[in-house]
Amino acid sequence: LRHLPHPGIDTPTIDAGTYHSRSNEFISDVISGWPEEARAYGAESGATPYLVSGDHRTGIPFLVNSVPDQEYVRVWCPNEFDGEQVALDVAFPYSTDGEFEHDATRPVLLVLHGLNGGSFEEYVKDLVMRERAKGSTVIVLIARGMMDTAVRGWNIFHGARTGDVDAAARAVR
């Protein structure tokens, strides 16, 4: 964009760098031990001038681009602690004849979709698609009640609940 007289869009005028609270001693110590060339992300290192934060660089591409839907096998995983169940959407890699085929020599990924997502969020589908192409099996844990999954009791979604992740990881293992 620098070679154009005007790129046709308004670009932010935020200087590249790491922004943090200098009054927080712990964070200041972390920053002081972190070489600037490893943490600066600006136009000189290939950054876009119009996506200035990590949030922008993560979200915007998936708002303006579409990822093909992925095929999942839904299984239910019980949580023995409270008797609830969580959904696991499993995406197996394809074999040479187009069938689902788990490869025990490749990694199995357990994906947590975020606060309001699921296995059909663009960023999740992108990860699933890329890892399946490498031969990995990808399992997306659907948080309680997300994607219209049933909740049998009163223990609805809570972002700090780790028991469902524990139950899913044990089941996958």
Side-chain angles (χ1 to χ4, degrees):
L1 291 177
R2 296 199 186 283
H3 68 281
L4 298 173
H6 189 280
I9 59 173
D10 291 330
T11 55
T13 56
I14 300 171
D15 293 330
T18 304
Y19 292 86
H20 65 283
S21 171
R22 297 185 194 292
S23 64
N24 184 319
E25 283 186 47
F26 176 74
I27 296 298
S28 293
D29 287 345
V30 169
I31 297 296
S32 69
W34 190 5
E36 186 168 349
E37 63 274 4
R39 62 182 154 94
Y41 188 64
E44 302 77 32
S45 59
T48 60
Y50 45 87
L51 299 178
V52 297
S53 76
D55 293 335
H56 295 144
R57 289 188 294 272
T58 300
I60 298 295
F62 297 109
L63 291 174
V64 298
N65 297 299
S66 179
V67 178
D69 286 341
Q70 300 298 299
E71 293 182 71
Y72 298 102
V73 175
R74 169 130 332 148
V75 296
W76 291 92
C77 175
N79 182 332
E80 302 297 328
F81 177 74
D82 63 4
E84 284 288 349
Q85 296 184 45
V86 293
L88 302 177
D89 281 353
V90 184
F92 294 101
Y94 293 108
S95 66
T96 53
D97 60 0
E99 297 294 319
F100 290 151
E101 181 176 82
H102 172 67
D103 182 349
T105 66
R106 301 290 306 153
V108 174
L109 286 76
L110 178 60
V111 178
L112 310 180
H113 58 69
L115 289 178
N116 62 347
S119 56
F120 291 109
E121 292 294 329
E122 298 297 321
Y123 59 92
V124 174
K125 292 189 308 186
D126 184 67
L127 173 67
V128 170
M129 180 181 67
R130 291 171 189 273
E131 291 302 318
R132 286 175 87 187
K134 296 177 189 175
S136 295
T137 297
V138 185
I139 302 168
V140 182
L141 184 151
I142 308 302
R144 293 182 189 194
M146 298 291 121
M147 292 186 62
D148 293 327
T149 56
V151 178
R152 296 185 305 181
W154 290 100
N155 291 325
I156 60 173
F157 171 77
H158 189 289
R161 180 180 288 113
T162 59
D164 291 345
V165 178
D166 179 66
R170 289 174 190 272
V172 169
R173 181 186 269 179

